[in-house]
């Protein structure tokens, strides 16, 4: 039980020899004890505002974090006690890498209770100076934000300072770093994929499925009569093991109508898999997956990745797109066909329209650039400034 609050809630601001102003306030700590802490500022008004905020938190019964706890200490506890038991293994793995490589080396030694907006903003600048990509920086920030949200909920800190920083724009190297297949490239890919054992996978990739969704697709989720597939499971590798789980978000759990060429690809896959089952004989281990290993087990993402890269690299003139970038290609191709962004969002299973619009806007910009470049053929020599007289 917490001790009774001591008399004397603080003192008026006083000027220190170093020129700063100081006020001292009694606060309740997370250990259930009362402690007098100091707040500092450049003026009496600044100090009074900080002291008033502390008093307000104290009067609401919100404890102050221990001044000895560091960001590193807290993040380790958060990972093991909050993330590991409650989130997907891949989520834990991503957060752990961010904590170890992108957060602790820069701000891990700072006191959790004293972490400021300025500290977090400076940390983002350090990541940028260290050569981290904008996408990497945003993911690291998202990790810290999630951790500090938990600290606020458990009343270790009063506010999440990571919510009040300016993040780097993703419009430059991150969006521009993505590649998308042109209609001609997509057609070339599908022409060369015919007869490949993973042909259906490449078709599904161009329909916007993620790799884990392709590997998690079961025959029971396929309806070739109604021409639909249901995305209900994903497969991913984490911590040296394969994991089967639900899609990454509510939006990702979706039903996708199949165009006729996809129906044909899945029918071919059914026949192809039946032939593999006959060849495997007693070694066959039924997983119920549309895409499986030669003996019927779940196809390992690493093996899938190797087969995809070997196939892609064997097509002369095809960009070195990742399998995930086939999703970006879907947005590009549907955009060129004039499909509204909200419909594209539903097909791709994006978490929100803003995600689709970032890709959509990039694609539209490229289409506009191509259109405007054609002005050169219209203007001819005048594009260079015309004849001199």
């Amino acid at each position: 039980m917490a001790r009774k609050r001591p008399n004397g809630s603080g003192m008026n601001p006083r000027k220190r020899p170093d020129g700063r102003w100081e006020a001292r306030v009694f606060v309740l700590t997370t250990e259930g004890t009362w402690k007098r802490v100091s707040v500092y500022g450049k003026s009496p008004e600044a100090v009074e505002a900080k002291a008033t905020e502390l008093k307000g938190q104290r009067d609401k019964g919100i404890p102050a974090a221990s001044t000895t706890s560091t960001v590193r200490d807290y993040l380790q506890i958060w990972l093991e006690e909050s993330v590991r038991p409650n989130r997907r293994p891949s989520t834990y793995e991503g957060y752990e890498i961010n904590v170890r490589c992108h957060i602790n080396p820069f701000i891990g030694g700072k006191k959790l209770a004293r972490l400021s907006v300025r500290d977090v903003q400076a940390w983002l600048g350090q990541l940028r100076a260290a050569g981290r990509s904008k996408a990497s920086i945003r993911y690291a920030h998202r990790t810290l934000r999630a951790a500090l949200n938990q600290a606020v909920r458990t009343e270790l800190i009063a506010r999440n300072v990571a919510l009040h920083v300016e993040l780097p724009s993703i419009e430059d190297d991150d969006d521009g770093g993505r590649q998308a297949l042109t209609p001609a490239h997509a057609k070339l890919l599908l022409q060369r994929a015919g007869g490949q054992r993973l042909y259906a996978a490449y078709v599904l990739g161009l329909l916007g499925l993620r790799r884990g969704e392709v590997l998690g697709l079961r025959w029971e989720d396929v309806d070739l009569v109604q021409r639909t597939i249901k995305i209900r499971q994903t497969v991913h590798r984490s911590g040296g093991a394969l994991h089967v789980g639900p899609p990454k978000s509510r939006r990702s759990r979706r039903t996708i109508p199949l165009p006729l060429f996809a129906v044909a690809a899945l029918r071919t896959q059914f026949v192809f898999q039946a032939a593999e089952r006959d060849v495997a004989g007693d070694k066959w281990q039924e997983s119920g997956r549309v895409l499986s290993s030669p003996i019927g087990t779940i196809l390992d993402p690493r093996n899938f990745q190797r087969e995809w890269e070997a196939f892609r690299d064997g097509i002369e003139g095809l960009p070195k797109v990742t399998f995930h970038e086939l999703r970006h290609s879907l947005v590009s191709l549907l955009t060129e066909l004039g499909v509204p962004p909200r419909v594209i969002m539903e097909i791709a299973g994006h978490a929100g329209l803003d995600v689709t619009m970032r890709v959509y806007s990039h694609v539209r910009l490229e289409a506009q650039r191509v259109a405007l470049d054609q002005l050169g053929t219209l203007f001819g020599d005048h594009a260079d400034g015309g004849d001199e007289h």
Side-chain angles (χ1 to χ4, degrees), residues 36 87 89 98 101 106 140 187 189 204 209 241-242 353 376:
R36 188 155 56 184
R87 304 297 293 274
N98 271 326
C101 300
F106 298 91
K187 184 176 181 179
L189 184 149
L204 293 172
L209 271 69
L242 290 180
L353 189 59

Side-chain angles (χ1 to χ4, degrees), residues 16 25 34 63 84-85 94 97 99 127 170 216 228 252-253 264 269 276 293 324 346 362 372 382:
R16 293 165 48 88
V25 182
W34 289 93
R84 188 189 287 275
I97 291 173
V99 167
L127 290 178
I170 65 170
T228 62
S252 297
R253 188 181 177 92
Q269 174 60 17
E276 286 192 325
S293 74
H324 189 76
E346 297 290 344
H362 170 64
L372 291 175
H382 296 287

Side-chain angles (χ1 to χ4, degrees), residues 108-129:
K110 291 189 175 293
K111 304 300 183 185
L112 176 65
R114 296 181 181 177
L115 189 67
S116 66
V117 174
R118 180 177 296 180
D119 291 332
V120 177
Q121 193 70 65
W123 163 63
L124 295 175
Q126 289 175 307
L127 290 178
R128 190 63 172 160

Side-chain angles (χ1 to χ4, degrees), residues 318-331:
L318 191 73
K320 302 294 185 182
V321 293
T322 65
F323 186 79
H324 189 76
E325 284 174 328
L326 295 184
R327 278 172 56 77
H328 188 53
S329 300
L330 170 75
V331 177

